[in-house]
Amino acid sequence: MLAAVLVAAGCGDGTEDAASTTTAAAGNATSTTAVADAPVPKELRFTAQTIDGAEFSGASLAGKKAVLWFWAPWCPTCQREAPGVAAAAAAHPDVEFVGVAARDELPAMRAFADEHGLTFTQIADLDGTVWQRFGVTAQPAFAFVSKFSDIDMVPGSLSEDEIATQIKALG
């Protein structure tokens, strides 16, 4: 059933904006650096394979500022957005970026990441379970994780400047 929902959702049209941000989880730590004892929200309780075959634990993002970018290799909006996401990742070395690729096969995911210079971690969400965990039904979408493990979901496309604004809001 999930596969049918994901396929039916198609490529997002990018009309959503940062104003439609919703909070998906909340934490209560108060440090100004990475929070070692940050709660691990349910969204981050997953283990997945990267496009290179390494194991990745979502819980490793708890207590850190992070950006998860949900994309698909064939999505024209994702293709246009990829250079800006790569530039935002390079401009914010203090933030962990993670791509979450789905809706295609592993070779296409690897080719997309190589073509667009995505040097940060890329998850191969072949069965859509990570997308489902975050409630993502259309790509692109973003999850911004604060060092307190708060998660703000932003559906649709974001420019490099909009990504920077969202990161600044993480504290």
Side-chain angles (χ1 to χ4, degrees):
M1 180 67 176
L2 172 63
V5 170
L6 290 175
V7 171
C11 187
D13 65 5
T15 59
E16 300 88 348
D17 60 28
S20 64
T21 301
T22 59
T23 299
N28 57 9
T30 57
S31 174
T32 58
T33 59
V35 181
D37 294 330
V40 180
K42 65 180 172 55
E43 292 89 348
L44 294 179
R45 294 181 193 153
F46 69 87
T47 301
Q49 295 292 311
T50 68
I51 62 172
D52 298 323
E55 187 171 286
F56 180 84
S57 170
S60 70
L61 300 175
K64 299 177 182 177
K65 291 192 276 187
V67 176
L68 286 87
W69 177 47
F70 299 87
W71 59 273
W74 48 264
C75 169
T77 303
C78 302
Q79 293 165 8
R80 285 189 305 272
E81 183 175 68
V85 176
H92 297 90
D94 59 323
V95 177
E96 186 153 350
F97 275 69
V98 178
V100 186
R103 298 185 172 174
D104 210 331
E105 300 298 321
L106 193 54
M109 294 172 181
R110 285 185 186 130
F112 182 96
D114 289 345
E115 178 182 342
H116 295 289
L118 302 177
T119 58
F120 53 92
T121 300
Q122 300 296 320
I123 294 172
D125 191 19
L126 297 172
D127 62 2
T129 58
V130 178
W131 279 39
Q132 182 181 22
R133 182 169 291 280
F134 283 86
V136 175
T137 58
Q139 73 287 331
F142 292 84
F144 292 89
V145 182
S146 79
K147 62 187 171 193
F148 306 115
S149 294
D150 298 327
I151 300 175
D152 291 327
M153 293 299 302
V154 180
S157 184
L158 293 177
S159 69
E160 186 179 345
D161 288 341
E162 290 168 325
I163 294 168
T165 298
Q166 290 290 325
I167 288 172
K168 185 180 278 190
L170 295 176

